[in-house]
Amino acid sequence: MDASSQGAYEPVSPKQVPAPGVDPYFPTHGDARYRVHRYELALDYRPGPNRLAGSARLSAVAGGEPLREFALDLAEFRIGRVLVDGKAQHYTHRAGKLRVRPAKPLPAGAAFTVEVHYSGNPKPVRSQWGGLGWEELTDGALVASQPVGAPSWYPCNDRPADKATYLVSITTPSPYTVIVGGRLLTRTTHSSSTTWVYEQAAPTSSYLVTVSIGHYQSVLLTEADPATRRVPQTAHLPARLLPDFTHDFGRQARMMPFFEELFGPYPFGEYAVVIADEELDVPVEAQGVATFGTNHLDGARTSERLVAHELAHQWFGNSVSIADWRHIWLNEGFAKYAEWLWSEHVGGRTAAEHAAVAHALLAGLPQDMRLADPGKKLMFDDRLYERGGLTMHALRLALGDPAFFRMIKDWAAIHRHGVVATAEFTAHAGQYAADGSLDGFFDAWLWETALPALPH
Ligand SMILES: [Zn+2]
């Protein structure tokens, strides 16, 4: 954790442990010299002019060195004031970095607060995958930040490993519904505006904080039941889509206990799905929420595999989070495999059949991707998802069902609300192998690009 870790990207050789905190795929995002443990956002949003204004208050702790300067990630906004421990400070704001230089260096390990007042017209962060983060809709807005869109709407230490709790207050014209992950604490209407306050008490990566603003009908899918620790499931959608939604998401309530049996208790206090009034290329997961597009409904459950995929991310990606983006297969491989397990559970294609199809598909495609470090360009490539699911299935065949499912459940329990890397997973899984190691297996599936044969 030192300042030099802010330097340029240096290629890492396989399995090499990187400088702590620097993400080789996004070396300019995040600042490992401090950690944030709580964000309090108080924002006002006007959908017509697409204007966002308010403040962010971060409670943070300096790392092992005195902090002479630190950086937050924040896109183009007009900055009003920047306060550290309540006092105005010097800062610079360019190229997505808000650099703050406290009048006196903050001692190593010191707790401090940063408050940023800002306003402007939020727009998506441009990326090779299109716009990320805050997106203005025809009538409303949504946030889908994976992987680096969070600075499009709030100042943050934008690295998945820096997980924090959130209190998010959003004021907007009263006809709109506001959905943020977590528990709705209060909803207060003053004249024509309503303030929605949400608390996310579980540690949350910056990219997993979401907002949806629109004209939505809210539906309770499953009531909370403290006796069985069942969490409430809700849906927010345009009212006209209710008939299709009711059919297409009709089995989500059953998915929850199925996944809890496989992965252990659901990690958050609630689960919500939003059907945004817009077509979306892919649904996106956020903490305790998943956002789908109108195109994911058709009254025929065509996208049910995605319903399973997004729910599985609550365990894998959101609770058990990756240390940096090289480890993305840990999120997507588990979520893909959850799709296959669900399909088998409801009498569709079995996991073995899905694996055979994926294997045949991958065998006919270029084999130039290393699953455990695919490179930024390929991190959301379809092949990563397919090979990720396939690797889980191969692991299941190598370990046998009892050991495999014990391994998965233990993984989710040990690292609940934590941060992991591939090396931790391979060491963990190895403990469940009869001879105590899976090194050869993981070399072939994770580190070599050539597609291995499926074990028998
Ligand atoms: Zn996914």
Side-chain angles (χ1 to χ4, degrees):
M1 299 257 183
D2 61 22
S4 67
S5 68
Q6 285 295 293
Y9 170 38
E10 285 181 54
V12 287
S13 63
K15 301 186 192 177
Q16 187 185 323
V17 179
V22 122
D23 191 326
Y25 295 1
F26 303 99
T28 63
H29 277 254
D31 184 341
R33 294 172 294 184
Y34 69 98
R35 294 188 63 93
V36 183
H37 55 89
R38 185 168 177 81
Y39 289 81
E40 293 175 357
L41 311 179
L43 302 170
D44 183 284
Y45 181 66
R46 299 290 130 180
N50 183 41
R51 188 165 192 283
L52 187 68
S55 67
R57 184 174 191 275
L58 286 61
S59 303
V61 178
E65 301 284 332
L67 214 47
R68 288 169 211 293
E69 185 223 66
F70 62 90
L72 298 167
D73 299 288
L74 180 64
E76 279 171 49
F77 283 97
R78 206 174 64 78
I79 309 288
R81 285 180 301 160
V82 177
L83 309 172
V84 173
D85 290 332
K87 295 196 190 78
Q89 304 293 331
H90 290 294
Y91 65 87
T92 60
H93 184 215
R94 62 180 83 87
K97 285 303 230 195
L98 178 63
R99 295 183 190 280
V100 184
R101 191 175 278 271
K104 268 197 290 182
L106 297 157
F112 64 100
T113 62
V114 195
E115 206 175 304
V116 181
H117 296 255
Y118 63 106
S119 62
N121 303 106
K123 57 177 191 287
V125 172
R126 275 200 298 258
S127 80
Q128 64 179 91
W129 309 282
L132 305 171
W134 192 284
E135 191 187 340
E136 186 186 4
L137 303 179
T138 310
D139 192 9
L142 69 77
V143 170
S145 293
Q146 189 185 36
V148 287
S152 67
W153 68 285
Y154 73 98
C156 54
N157 192 4
D158 193 28
R159 37 193 298 258
D162 197 16
K163 295 168 82 167
T165 64
Y166 281 79
L167 183 73
V168 180
S169 159
I170 296 188
T171 302
T172 203
S174 295
Y176 292 89
T177 298
V178 176
I179 302 111
V180 175
R183 192 155 70 91
L184 177 64
L185 293 185
T186 57
R187 189 176 110 180
T188 320
T189 298
H190 290 294
S191 63
S192 60
S193 290
T194 298
T195 299
W196 305 67
V197 181
Y198 284 87
E199 165 100 48
Q200 179 49 267
T204 301
S205 301
S206 49
Y207 81 94
L208 289 171
V209 187
T210 190
V211 181
S212 272
I213 299 174
H215 297 288
Y216 297 128
Q217 178 171 343
S218 299
V219 184
L220 182 64
L221 304 176
T222 305
E223 274 186 69
D225 180 4
T228 59
R229 300 181 58 190
R230 190 174 70 198
V231 304
Q233 294 186 47
T234 53
H236 310 275
L237 65 153
R240 69 177 192 281
L241 300 177
L242 197 53
D244 278 357
F245 173 84
T246 304
H247 179 73
D248 292 350
F249 281 70
R251 301 200 287 197
Q252 184 183 277
R254 276 171 61 198
M255 264 177 209
M256 182 66 90
F258 175 63
F259 285 166
E260 288 197 305
E261 196 185 308
L262 295 176
F263 310 145
Y266 178 75
F268 306 106
E270 56 284 302
Y271 185 57
V273 292
V274 177
I275 313 295
D277 201 353
E278 191 95 351
E279 296 205 349
L280 298 182
D281 288 346
V282 288
V284 278
E285 76 272 20
Q287 202 82 316
V289 186
T291 306
F292 296 79
T294 52
N295 50 313
H296 298 120
L297 298 181
D298 63 357
R301 282 194 191 136
T302 306
S303 298
E304 195 186 53
R305 69 171 189 87
L306 300 173
V307 178
H309 182 106
E310 301 311 324
L311 179 57
H313 271 313
Q314 299 302 324
W315 284 264
F316 307 112
N318 299 11
S319 166
V320 181
S321 300
I322 51 178
D324 64 60
W325 291 103
R326 287 171 305 165
H327 313 292
I328 180 78
W329 85 275
L330 285 172
N331 294 3
E332 301 306 343
F334 275 88
K336 173 59 80 177
Y337 199 56
E339 293 177 28
W340 298 355
L341 292 169
W342 173 252
S343 159
E344 178 169 319
H345 181 68
V346 291
R349 207 182 251 176
T350 64
E353 287 164 351
H354 278 288
V357 170
H359 198 276
L361 174 80
L362 288 171
L365 293 172
Q367 293 170 33
D368 58 0
M369 186 189 69
R370 187 190 285 147
L371 188 60
D373 187 3
K376 182 178 164 185
K377 226 167 92 189
L378 295 181
M379 62 183 278
F380 294 118
D381 193 281
D382 282 348
R383 289 174 295 160
L384 180 127
Y385 290 67
E386 296 296 333
R387 183 149 171 174
L390 199 50
T391 300
M392 297 309 291
H393 190 69
L395 184 54
R396 178 178 170 186
L397 296 176
L399 292 176
D401 275 10
F404 174 78
F405 285 107
R406 219 170 44 243
M407 181 279 292
I408 298 278
K409 212 178 206 174
D410 290 351
W411 175 249
I414 293 166
H415 298 287
R416 186 177 165 92
H417 300 316
V419 172
V420 296
T422 294
E424 282 168 283
F425 179 71
T426 56
H428 171 80
Q431 295 169 15
Y432 297 77
D435 61 1
S437 166
L438 289 167
D439 288 354
F441 174 92
F442 283 126
D443 277 346
W445 282 96
L446 298 179
W447 297 103
E448 297 296 330
T449 57
L451 181 67
L454 271 175
H456 294 291

